[in-house]
Amino acid sequence: MPKKKVNKNTKKYQAKELRRLRNKCLKLWSLVVKIEAGNKCEWIGCEETKNLNSHHVEGFLTNQNLRFDKRNGVCLCPLNHKFGRESAHRSFCFMFL
């Protein structure tokens, strides 16, 4: 059975392709942030090396110019990223560390 020919000039196809490329860039950004941190949590006093997350210091949605800038990322364990009482998502002071 012959392959169905895809029209690459449609807005729907182009939007899907753009999402795919952004996701790929985000995964690469995350990998670079983790490597730069030595594959360990950067929270002061934390030495966790498993299940690490990359966190945008300045908001992912609010500043699109810094979206893929490695200097705008920190490597955090899940506790310090989202779940701790003073985690990166709950603490305003985190941006000034």
Side-chain angles (χ1 to χ4, degrees), residues 26-27 29-43 45-56 73-83 89:
L26 188 59
K27 286 179 184 178
W29 172 85
S30 178
L31 183 64
V32 168
V33 168
K34 290 173 187 176
I35 290 170
E36 290 281 323
N39 287 311
K40 66 177 190 152
C41 181
E42 293 185 279
W43 194 272
C46 184
E47 296 294 323
E48 185 63 48
T49 59
K50 295 180 181 170
N51 302 319
L52 298 172
N53 305 136
S54 296
H55 174 75
H56 286 91
V74 291
C75 183
L76 299 169
C77 66
L79 178 67
N80 292 318
H81 185 216
K82 289 186 179 180
F83 303 115
H89 282 275

Side-chain angles (χ1 to χ4, degrees), residues 2-60:
K3 280 189 172 182
K4 184 179 178 183
K5 194 167 187 172
V6 176
N7 183 359
K8 296 182 179 182
N9 293 325
T10 65
K11 287 184 181 182
K12 184 177 179 180
Y13 176 84
Q14 291 173 350
K16 186 177 180 181
E17 187 67 11
L18 187 60
R19 273 193 310 275
R20 188 184 69 76
L21 291 172
R22 279 190 191 139
N23 286 338
K24 209 174 211 180
C25 287
L26 188 59
K27 286 179 184 178
L28 287 171
W29 172 85
S30 178
L31 183 64
V32 168
V33 168
K34 290 173 187 176
I35 290 170
E36 290 281 323
N39 287 311
K40 66 177 190 152
C41 181
E42 293 185 279
W43 194 272
I44 298 169
C46 184
E47 296 294 323
E48 185 63 48
T49 59
K50 295 180 181 170
N51 302 319
L52 298 172
N53 305 136
S54 296
H55 174 75
H56 286 91
V57 177
E58 185 156 339
F60 182 86

